Amino acid sequence: MPNIYPKFTDAELKELSLIRDALPRHVGVIMDGNGRWAKKRLLPRSAGHRAGMEALRGIVRFSHSVGIDALTVYAFSTENWRRPRSEIDALFSLLEEYFHKEIDELDANGVRIRIIGDKTAFEGKLKQILETAEGRTANNNGLCFNIALNYGSRAEIVHAVNSLIESGAKAGEVTEEMLDRRLYTSGLPELDLIVRTAGEQRLSNFLLWQCAYAEFVFTSTLFPDLSPEIYTECLREYAGRTRRFGKVL
Ligand code: FPP
């Protein structure tokens, strides 16, 4: 029987010093530092990615439990193809393993999986696994779990613009909503928070359009060490900020 993730009550959230109304609806995570985590332990980089996968399981489960609506993680960027072939292969085989092991549990918990990015690069078994995961969970209405694969935000925007042109949109008539509807994240709640691990403070071509009003929380924790407790600290930091959306309060 798959594990059923608990849904925290208001009292349980309070114990974590979290308030339901001050939680982000949509969180983006730039999972950085797997390589450094492995290096510190004299392990191969692939061991760092495996440890990252374990951390991700905890973050998905916890996001569901606290009641976050959408979680978007940066798993493989369009620039990541420049890594050694052996590391790319290790990452994709981890991804296959992840879906193989987790899909029943994710589905049983109502998680909806969406792969965002240019999927034309994937073929064979991996393509089939990704399509099955998306298809099988498409009608679920729990946490929207979006995995950015072969993703680059500029390419996403260019793709949306081309799609607008193809649809016959006329100059001067294009609105933000029209473009937004053609992004891979269409239909998801507005991005509220981006967390980046491992001390780096840049976006690296992740959700550039979507982060217009998002808060940023940077933690020095390496991604494999991002426990639910440290993630909770990031959520608390978010909750403590006042979001003005350009208005004078
Ligand atoms: C960045 O760390 C991390 C990645 C490029 C990959 C993220 C992948 C995972 C967490 C593993 C599995 C993912 C899924 C969706 C199952 P880095 O290698 O750039 O670290 P470094 O900067 O310390 O070298």
Side-chain angles (χ1 to χ4, degrees):
M1 273 292 282
N3 272 323
I4 297 300
Y5 313 147
K7 274 273 186 197
F8 295 161
T9 60
D10 284 346
E12 283 168 320
L13 286 179
K14 205 171 160 202
E15 260 173 58
L16 296 167
S17 304
L18 293 175
I19 304 161
R20 197 174 300 284
D21 288 347
L23 281 169
R25 287 187 67 202
H26 183 176
V27 181
V29 182
I30 304 180
M31 309 185 287
D32 201 1
N34 294 351
R36 274 163 278 176
W37 185 94
K39 196 171 175 194
K40 271 185 17 187
R41 291 163 177 77
L42 305 178
L43 292 169
R45 294 177 60 81
S46 59
H49 295 315
R50 176 170 292 281
M53 177 175 87
E54 292 304 326
L56 181 60
R57 292 179 62 201
I59 298 303
V60 171
R61 187 184 285 221
F62 190 79
S63 297
H64 170 97
S65 292
V66 296
I68 284 168
D69 294 328
L71 173 72
T72 302
V73 300
Y74 207 5
F76 195 85
S77 72
T78 44
E79 289 74 35
N80 284 152
W81 294 109
R82 293 191 207 128
R83 295 193 175 206
R85 188 71 236 177
S86 56
E87 185 177 347
I88 296 174
D89 289 345
L91 266 171
F92 288 141
S93 79
L94 259 187
L95 204 66
E96 286 185 17
E97 183 184 326
Y98 177 81
F99 282 118
H100 185 69
K101 280 192 186 159
E102 299 294 309
I103 189 70
D104 288 345
E105 188 171 307
L106 293 169
D107 193 22
N109 283 283
V111 174
R112 181 152 57 102
I113 295 164
R114 201 194 277 190
I115 307 298
I116 66 167
D118 177 6
K119 292 188 267 194
T120 58
F122 304 116
E123 42 191 33
K125 194 167 157 217
L126 181 61
K127 180 175 185 227
Q128 192 205 322
I129 288 172
L130 299 177
E131 281 174 359
T132 307
E134 284 190 306
R136 183 171 156 185
T137 62
N139 295 322
N140 287 348
N141 43 30
L143 174 75
C144 291
F145 177 33
N146 312 295
I147 305 174
L149 283 179
N150 193 25
Y151 175 86
S153 188
R154 288 183 177 178
E156 176 187 31
I157 294 168
V158 169
H159 178 268
V161 170
N162 279 317
S163 150
L164 272 172
I165 295 169
E166 271 166 28
S167 74
K170 295 196 182 53
E173 289 177 4
V174 174
T175 63
E176 290 184 11
E177 289 70 29
M178 285 162 76
L179 200 131
D180 202 73
R181 275 201 298 276
R182 284 168 169 82
L183 297 174
Y184 299 131
T185 48
S186 161
L188 294 172
E190 183 83 19
L191 184 70
D192 295 313
L193 167 66
I194 289 199
V195 174
R196 183 166 188 155
T197 57
E200 310 298 342
Q201 302 195 356
R202 55 181 174 272
L203 271 179
S204 303
N205 206 11
F206 185 56
L207 304 179
L208 300 180
W209 169 282
Q210 295 87 340
C211 76
Y213 290 103
E215 293 290 331
F216 294 83
V217 172
F218 300 108
T219 165
S220 57
T221 304
L222 304 176
F223 185 70
D225 295 327
L226 188 74
S227 58
E229 290 73 25
I230 298 174
Y231 182 54
T232 301
E233 283 170 23
C234 300
L235 299 178
R236 280 190 215 119
E237 185 168 339
Y238 167 84
R241 297 202 189 153
T242 312
R243 298 177 76 207
R244 305 195 315 172
F245 298 99
K247 297 189 290 267
V248 176
L249 292 181

